[in-house]
Amino acid sequence: EARVYAEENGLFFMETSAKSAANVNDVFYEIAKRLPRAQPAQNPTGMVLVDRPAEGSRAASCCS
């Protein structure tokens, strides 16, 4: 019944058993394969860190 429901709704289905360990590793591998790949952010938000100014140049600093 669960397999039919999954097929009708385009869902992933795999029978497992924690008691006998049947398909436990397989279901985790299958889920991992189906996860979307991470994409780098186009416009990162938050603080952007930059290198310190070259020696000899005097830049304003919060702490000097």
Side-chain angles (χ1 to χ4, degrees):
E1 188 175 314
R3 181 180 304 280
V4 171
Y5 178 84
E7 289 172 359
E8 289 174 350
N9 292 283
L11 303 171
F12 171 69
F13 174 83
M14 181 182 286
E15 289 189 41
T16 62
S17 170
K19 184 176 182 178
S20 68
N23 290 331
V24 173
N25 285 337
D26 294 338
V27 77
F28 282 105
Y29 286 123
E30 192 61 35
I31 291 169
K33 286 191 316 190
R34 293 168 183 250
L35 289 174
R37 302 282 184 236
Q39 300 294 323
Q42 295 295 328
N43 294 324
T45 59
M47 185 184 304
V48 177
L49 302 176
V50 295
D51 289 334
R52 286 187 267 156
E55 285 187 39
S57 67
R58 301 274 300 163
S61 173
C62 69
C63 307
S64 57

